[in-house]
Amino acid sequence: MHSWIDGQPATAVNLQNRGLAYGDGLFETIAVRGGRPSLLSRHLERLALGCQRLAIDIDLALVRDELLRYASQLGEGVAKLIVTRGDSQRGYAPASEALTRRILQGGPRPAYPAGNAEQGIGLFDCQTRLAQQPLLAGLKHLNRLEQVMARAEWQDSACAEGLMRDVQGHLIEGVYSNLFLVRDGVLLTADLSRCGVAGVMRAALLDEAPALGIEVRTGDLVQADLEAADEVFVCNSVYGIWPVRTVAALNLDWPAGPLTRKLQAVARTLLDT
C-alpha cells in the first residue's frame, strides 16, 4: 500500500519536518475493515484534542475525507495517520508559516495468534517507567521512546505485552494497550491525567460499561490492586481485548473471566462499526 502525504501518493518526507526532528506531532493507528476505518469518530476526537493542546492547526473534515478514501483503497488492514506541525528551519520555535503535514501509511492487519484473545496472554513486568507530564498526558504524540525502551526489555514470546508503571510505581498501561482490572464486578482503570495514552478502545469501553450495568472506577492503581484483581485484560483499537492470564515474574495469574468475555464481545462489535 502506497503512502500519502497531504492527500497525495508520496514516498518521502522533507528532512526539515518537525515530526522527524522533534517528534512534534500526533498519530492514530486505525483498524480498517471492509474498506472503512473502525471507530473513526473517536480517533478524530482524540486527534482534535491533541491538536488543540499542542496548538497544531488541523482541518478535521479534510482528514476525515482522506481517511475514508485511503481506507477504501486499503480494504483490510491497519492505517497509520501521522500529523506533524510541518516543516521549519533548525530550532525549537515553530515557524508561523509552517503548514501542517498529514501522512498516511497502511499495511496488513498484524497476524496475532488466535490464542491471545481465546486463552489470554502473559504480561512482562517492564522496568522502564513513564515520566509524568500532564500537558502531554493522554495524547498519542510522536514521542514514543519510553515504549521503545520498554518493548526492548523482553524477547520471550510467552509475553505478548508489557506492563508499564509511572515513576511513582502506579500501574498505568501496556506498552501498546490500555490496562483494566476487575474486582468484585467493578471495572478499574488507571487515571491518565499525569501520563499514559488515552486509548480509543479504552474510551469506548468506558462509555459502554454503564449501559451493561458495569460499575467503573478510574484512579490510581498500585501493585496491591493487581494482586487483588479477579480478572485482568488489555485492549486497543486494532485487536480489541486480550485477557491477561499471568504476570510470570510476579507469580500472578487469572482466568479469562465473565466480565472480560462480555466486554470482549462488545469490543468486537465496536471494531466492526
Side-chain angles (χ1 to χ4, degrees):
M1 182 67 184
H2 295 296
S3 299
W4 289 5
I5 298 179
D6 298 338
Q8 300 297 323
T11 58
V13 68
N14 192 318
L15 290 178
Q16 294 177 325
N17 189 281
R18 293 180 62 86
L20 174 64
Y22 307 118
D24 190 359
L26 304 149
F27 73 103
E28 297 288 332
T29 305
I30 305 169
V32 175
R33 300 190 176 192
R36 294 189 61 82
S38 299
L39 297 166
L40 178 58
S41 295
R42 290 188 179 273
H43 281 289
L44 292 177
E45 287 171 8
R46 182 172 62 180
L47 179 65
L49 174 64
C51 286
Q52 179 183 34
R53 204 181 298 176
L54 298 183
I56 293 176
D57 185 41
I58 191 71
D59 183 340
L60 285 177
L62 178 61
V63 171
R64 183 179 187 276
D65 176 69
E66 288 176 357
L67 277 168
L68 289 172
R69 290 191 292 115
Y70 191 85
S72 70
Q73 293 189 23
L74 182 61
E76 298 288 335
V78 177
K80 182 174 183 178
L81 168 67
I82 300 173
V83 173
T84 80
R85 199 181 301 273
D87 307 336
S88 69
Q89 299 298 317
R90 182 180 177 277
Y92 291 133
S96 58
E97 70 276 9
L99 298 177
T100 303
R101 294 296 181 199
R102 307 173 310 279
I103 302 167
L104 274 167
Q105 299 171 299
R109 191 178 307 164
Y112 296 122
N116 288 5
E118 294 168 3
Q119 285 81 45
I121 65 167
L123 284 185
F124 182 85
D125 188 23
C126 297
Q127 298 305 301
T128 302
R129 295 294 184 256
L130 294 165
Q132 295 184 354
Q133 172 47 274
L135 180 64
L136 300 177
L139 305 185
K140 198 162 187 181
H141 54 75
L142 294 177
N143 294 272
R144 295 291 113 199
L145 279 176
E146 292 166 331
Q147 285 74 19
V148 170
M149 293 172 67
R151 185 59 188 89
E153 290 186 34
W154 85 92
Q155 301 299 324
D156 185 357
S157 60
C159 294
E161 244 292 27
L163 175 62
M164 298 197 72
R165 297 172 170 84
D166 66 12
V167 292
Q168 295 177 328
H170 299 119
L171 308 176
I172 302 296
E173 59 191 4
V175 173
Y176 58 103
S177 63
N178 285 117
L179 176 72
F180 282 90
L181 312 181
V182 178
R183 188 172 69 232
D184 298 328
V186 178
L187 192 62
L188 309 174
T189 194
D191 171 25
L192 301 181
S193 63
R194 298 184 299 269
C195 62
V197 176
V200 164
M201 181 57 74
R202 173 183 181 272
L205 293 174
L206 290 176
D207 284 348
E208 294 285 335
L212 298 171
I214 300 170
E215 181 182 350
V216 176
R217 295 179 192 168
T218 301
D220 289 339
L221 299 177
V222 296
Q223 180 74 17
D225 294 308
L226 188 65
E227 294 172 355
D230 303 313
E231 306 173 37
V232 179
F233 67 87
V234 292
C235 68
N236 74 18
S237 61
V238 173
Y239 62 70
I241 286 177
W242 288 343
V244 172
R245 186 182 65 254
T246 183
V247 182
L250 301 178
N251 197 29
L252 297 173
D253 58 82
W254 305 271
L259 197 148
T260 298
R261 292 303 192 195
K262 178 184 287 189
L263 290 175
Q264 199 172 38
V266 171
R268 289 194 189 101
T269 299
L270 288 168
L271 286 175
D272 287 333
T273 59

